[in-house]
């Protein structure tokens, strides 16, 4: 980034200041005058004449602060150049054309082949000592899929890191992601109890029991549930099961509506 600098000059434009990076910022002020600044333009190296520079759209004002201008350098040769900027007021009076010197250098990054990919979890073993990921060398490795063995890792929060090395022996930055490991044991135990209840949960084991033969899989069919004690209206039927280890399942439910129908006896 080139350093900012100030230029003081005669009225009507008392100060132009700008800093240059990939874009430059201009601050234009009229001191002691009420005229609006109506036009701003810039040019590179050679003055094309007043009004013939590259136009910078502005809203007319006596003070133009922090105007950000993108300067197109694509057609410019590498080397030392000068950037000029100037402004015109509503009376057609132009400011001076202060300039800023800069150097353009086109930097083209060579594409080296990536020859190695490795990952590690939590603790960095040092470049080259991570778990190797087989790859075909190339400048870009896209959609790289690989499996990570988590069997020896304790349950909990962990960091997965990955990095690459090119054919010049240069390692990339190490990027990471957080993940959580939770182990689940295989459930092969038998279901020993099934119970149901209506509307309000009486607590595990306090529902109405459904007789079952212990098994890993149970299908309950043709079981009649007594609803005579329920008042007419909308209700919920809940069902859950428990295995031989004493672990209860999730409680599932279905909505249903009870309506007592009274048969009216008509004469034949």
């Amino acid at each position: 980034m080139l350093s900012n600098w100030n230029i003081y000059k005669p009225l009507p434009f008392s100060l132009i200041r700008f800093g240059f990076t990939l874009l430059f910022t201009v601050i234009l002020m009229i001191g002691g005058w009420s005229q609006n600044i109506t036009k701003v333009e810039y040019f590179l190296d050679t003055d094309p004449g007043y009004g013939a520079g590259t136009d910078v759209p502005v809203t007319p004002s006596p003070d133009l602060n922090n105007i950000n201008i993108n300067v197109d350098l694509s057609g410019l040769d590498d080397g030392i150049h000068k950037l000029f900027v100037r402004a015109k007021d509503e009376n057609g009076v132009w400011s001076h054309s202060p300039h800023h010197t800069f150097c353009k250098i086109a930097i083209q990054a060579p594409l080296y082949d990536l020859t190695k990919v490795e990952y590690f979890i939590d603790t960095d073993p040092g470049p080259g000592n991570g778990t190797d990921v087989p790859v075909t060398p190339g400048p870009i490795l896209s959609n790289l899929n690989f499996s990570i063995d988590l069997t020896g890792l304790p349950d909990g929060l962990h960091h997965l890191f990955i990095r690459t090395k090119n054919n010049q022996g240069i390692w990339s930055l190490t990027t990471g992601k957080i993940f959580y490991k939770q182990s689940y044991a295989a459930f092969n135990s038998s279901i020993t109890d099934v119970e149901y209840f209506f509307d309000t949960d009486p607590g595990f084991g306090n529902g109405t029991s459904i007789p079952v033969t212990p098994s890993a899989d149970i299908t309950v069919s043709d079981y009649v549930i007594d609803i005579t004690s329920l008042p007419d209206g909308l209700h919920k039927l809940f069902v859950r099961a428990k295995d031989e280890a004493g672990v209860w399942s999730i409680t599932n439910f279905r909505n249903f509506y009870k309506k007592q129908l009274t048969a009216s006896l008509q004469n034949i």
Side-chain angles (χ1 to χ4, degrees):
M1 173 176 169
L2 301 177
S3 59
N4 291 340
W5 51 273
N6 299 326
I7 293 180
Y8 296 90
K9 54 191 184 308
L11 296 176
F13 298 97
S14 61
L15 169 66
I16 295 181
R17 185 182 75 185
F18 65 92
F20 179 84
T21 55
L22 293 178
L23 55 81
F24 64 87
T25 302
V26 180
I27 300 176
L28 298 170
M29 298 187 299
I30 296 180
W33 291 71
S34 59
Q35 291 91 344
N36 285 331
I37 299 172
T38 58
K39 182 176 176 62
V40 176
E41 68 178 21
Y42 74 87
F43 57 92
L44 298 168
D45 299 333
T46 304
D47 192 340
Y50 291 102
T54 301
D55 185 67
V56 178
V58 295
T59 301
S61 173
D63 301 299
L64 299 179
N65 299 314
N66 297 322
I67 306 172
N68 294 318
I69 306 171
N70 288 303
V71 180
D72 183 11
L73 304 180
S74 58
L76 211 60
D77 295 333
D78 287 0
I80 301 295
H81 298 277
K82 290 182 178 180
L83 170 67
F84 296 82
V85 64
R86 60 190 170 208
K88 183 179 71 170
D89 70 9
E90 59 190 345
N91 294 324
V93 179
W94 285 93
S95 70
H96 292 304
S97 303
H99 71 272
H100 202 75
T101 302
F102 67 95
C103 182
K104 176 189 174 185
I105 301 176
I107 300 175
Q108 198 167 21
L111 293 178
Y112 296 115
D113 280 350
L114 301 175
T115 57
K116 182 176 176 63
V117 177
E118 69 175 23
Y119 73 87
F120 59 91
I121 297 174
D122 297 334
T123 304
D124 192 342
N129 297 318
T131 302
D132 186 68
V133 178
V135 294
T136 301
I140 299 174
L141 302 178
S142 58
N143 298 321
L144 185 62
N145 295 314
F146 57 94
S147 298
I148 298 174
D149 184 10
L150 304 180
T151 53
L153 208 63
D155 288 359
L157 199 64
H158 298 277
H159 287 80
L160 169 67
F161 297 90
I162 188 170
R163 60 190 166 209
T164 63
K165 185 177 73 171
N166 66 18
N167 57 7
Q168 304 297 305
I170 300 174
W171 286 94
S172 69
L173 296 176
T174 303
T175 59
K177 282 195 174 182
I178 297 175
F179 69 94
Y180 190 87
K181 178 188 174 184
Q182 177 64 60
S183 299
Y184 294 94
F187 295 101
N188 295 317
S189 56
S190 294
I191 297 172
T192 57
D193 294 278
V194 177
E195 67 177 21
Y196 72 89
F197 58 90
F198 297 110
D199 300 332
T200 304
D201 193 339
F204 291 104
N206 296 320
T208 301
S209 177
I210 299 175
V212 294
T213 300
S215 174
D217 297 297
I218 292 178
T219 301
V220 178
S221 61
D222 299 328
Y223 183 80
V224 178
I225 295 178
D226 185 8
I227 61 172
T228 54
S229 62
L230 288 178
D232 287 359
L234 193 64
H235 298 278
K236 288 183 178 179
L237 169 65
F238 295 85
V239 179
R240 61 190 169 207
K242 184 179 72 171
D243 68 9
E244 59 187 350
V247 178
W248 284 93
S249 69
I250 295 173
T251 303
N252 294 296
F253 72 92
R254 288 275 183 94
N255 291 310
F256 69 96
Y257 190 86
K258 177 188 175 183
K259 178 63 176 178
Q260 184 70 40
L261 299 178
T262 302
S264 178
L265 298 177
Q266 304 293 331
N267 291 330
I268 299 175

